[in-house]
Amino acid sequence: MDPKQEATLSYALLTDPARADICRALLEAGEDGMPAADLAAAVGLNLRRAGRIFQELLQADIVALTVRDRQVCYSLKARREIRQALGYIEDSGLLS
C-alpha cells in the first residue's frame, strides 16, 4: 500500500469515535501504552468490542502489541502523526 493510501486508511479509521477514544487514551498513556483491559475500561468499552477495534488498529499498523507481565498491552506506533490526525479530524468536524 502506498503512503497516500495508508494515510487515507488511518484517517478513515480514526473518524470512528471508539477508535479515536482508544488512540487518545494511548496518547495520554505515553510511549509504554497500556494493558488491553485497562484501555477498554478507560474508554468505556467491553473487552470484546475493544478487542475488535484493537485488531483493526493493528491491521492498519496504527498500534503495536506487546506482552508485559502476562498482559497484552497496546501502544501507538506514530504518536505525533496520530495526534496530528486526531486534531485535524476534530477540527474538521469529521468525527462522527
Side-chain angles (χ1 to χ4, degrees):
M1 186 178 305
D2 71 51
K4 192 172 187 177
Q5 288 174 313
E6 287 177 10
T8 301
L9 175 60
S10 296
Y11 280 111
L13 283 170
L14 295 176
T15 57
D16 174 74
R19 292 184 200 116
D21 289 346
I22 287 171
C23 288
R24 276 192 219 94
L26 287 173
L27 282 168
E28 290 179 21
E31 291 185 19
D32 290 336
M34 61 193 307
D38 295 346
L39 182 53
V43 298
L45 296 174
N46 65 48
L47 197 52
R48 185 176 182 177
R49 170 77 174 114
R52 283 189 228 124
I53 294 172
F54 299 153
Q55 190 62 26
E56 293 167 348
L57 295 173
L58 273 170
Q59 288 176 347
D61 207 29
I62 292 172
V63 298
L65 178 149
T66 57
V67 177
R68 287 192 310 253
D69 300 323
R70 300 176 66 176
Q71 291 183 317
V72 173
C73 298
Y74 291 94
S75 60
L76 289 175
K77 284 190 162 190
R79 299 174 53 74
R80 183 176 48 119
E81 290 82 356
I82 295 299
R83 183 177 284 116
Q84 290 173 345
L86 285 171
Y88 173 78
I89 289 167
E90 290 166 359
D91 291 346
S92 301
L94 294 173
L95 196 56
S96 41

